[in-house]
């Protein structure tokens, strides 16, 4: 695990399960967190739960746009049905140079279908949609699709999982990896350009099915790799 970071991370959608789990894990690792929600009150409730769960955690709650203004790195963790609306609302807030890590998955559950099925996205993936909708100069990578919310929120659960990173610039993926690897047990693996996120996003649906059948919270670990060095 890397040393604590003084730079905050904004998590848009951290009143939801995955985003809240990330807030807990980052907070435990000493990374300040700004939780974002469409409702500032819900965001502050989530932040209060995080502060109650971990002594000394620096976690605050805000409306989405205010949370995004507070950090150079923004993690987007919202249901796919809210993806385009959230990006539209953030378009005037996210600035050139800001890093957007998209953890959204276009599951069919977003429109009442099965969580083990994917929706088609015109751009190819949720992350590619984010790259198309974000303002010019906002750097987009995709990550965190295969880490279950249940394993994140159980702080006693060792993760020992790989995070599959997609992005069009190595430096953007490096910045995302150095942040994510503050979370103990997570190792970031470069899986190619942003267009590969159509594959990594779909692994969520596969893992939901696997975990349902085995009553588990399995993740992904790639074997035979040297430990990637992002430093």
């Amino acid at each position: 695990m890397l040393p604590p970071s003084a730079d905050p991370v904004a998590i848009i959608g951290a009143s939801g399960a995955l985003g809240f789990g990330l807030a807990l894990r980052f907070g435990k690792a000493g990374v300040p967190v700004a939780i974002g929600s469409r409702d500032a009150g819900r965001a502050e409730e989530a932040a209060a739960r995080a502060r109650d769960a971990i002594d000394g955690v620096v976690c605050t709650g805000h409306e989405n746009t205010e949370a995004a203004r507070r950090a150079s790195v923004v993690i987007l963790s919202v249901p796919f049905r809210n993806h385009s609306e959230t990006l539209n609302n953030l378009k005037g807030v996210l600035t050139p140079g800001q890093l957007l890590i998209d953890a959204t998955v276009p599951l069919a559950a977003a429109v009442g279908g099965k969580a083990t099925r994917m929706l088609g996205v015109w751009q190819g993936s949720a992350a590619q949609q984010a790259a198309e909708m974000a303002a010019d100069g906002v750097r987009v990578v995709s990550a965190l699709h295969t880490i279950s919310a249940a394993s994140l929120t159980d702080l006693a659960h060792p993760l020992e999982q790989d995070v599959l990173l997609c992005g069009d610039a190595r430096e953007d993926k490096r910045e995302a990896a150095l942040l994510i690897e503050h979370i103990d047990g997570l190792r970031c693996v470069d899986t190619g350009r942003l267009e590969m996120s159509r594959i990594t996003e779909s692994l969520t649906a596969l893992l939901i099915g696997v975990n349902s059948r085995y009553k588990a919270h399995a993740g992904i670990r790639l074997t035979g790799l040297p430990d990637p060095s992002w430093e």
Side-chain angles (χ1 to χ4, degrees), residues 68-90:
R69 288 189 181 100
R70 289 173 172 259
S72 60
V73 180
V74 176
I75 297 176
L76 185 59
S77 173
V78 297
F80 186 68
R81 64 179 175 274
N82 303 129
H83 190 250
S84 61
E85 178 188 359
T86 302
L87 286 165
N88 272 326
N89 292 337
L90 293 175

Side-chain angles (χ1 to χ4, degrees), residues 150-166:
S151 63
L152 286 169
T153 53
D154 180 2
L155 294 176
H157 178 82
L159 294 174
E160 301 298 325
Q161 297 179 37
D162 284 339
V163 175
L164 309 181
L165 279 177
C166 302

Side-chain angles (χ1 to χ4, degrees), residues 1-2 26 176-189 228 230:
M1 186 170 67
L2 297 173
F26 278 123
L178 290 177
L179 171 66
I180 292 168
E181 289 185 353
H182 278 89
I183 298 177
D184 194 23
L186 293 187
R187 180 183 71 165
C188 290
V189 177
W230 297 93

Side-chain angles (χ1 to χ4, degrees), residues 11 17-27 33 75 77 103 144 152 183:
I11 305 177
L18 178 65
F20 182 69
L22 289 170
L24 285 178
R25 292 286 181 162
F26 278 123
V33 177
I75 297 176
S77 173
L144 299 163
L152 286 169
I183 298 177

Side-chain angles (χ1 to χ4, degrees), residues 136-151:
D136 290 345
V138 174
R139 301 172 295 141
V140 178
V141 301
S142 72
L144 299 163
H145 306 109
T146 61
I147 313 298
S148 79
S151 63

Side-chain angles (χ1 to χ4, degrees), residues 47 125 209:
S125 66

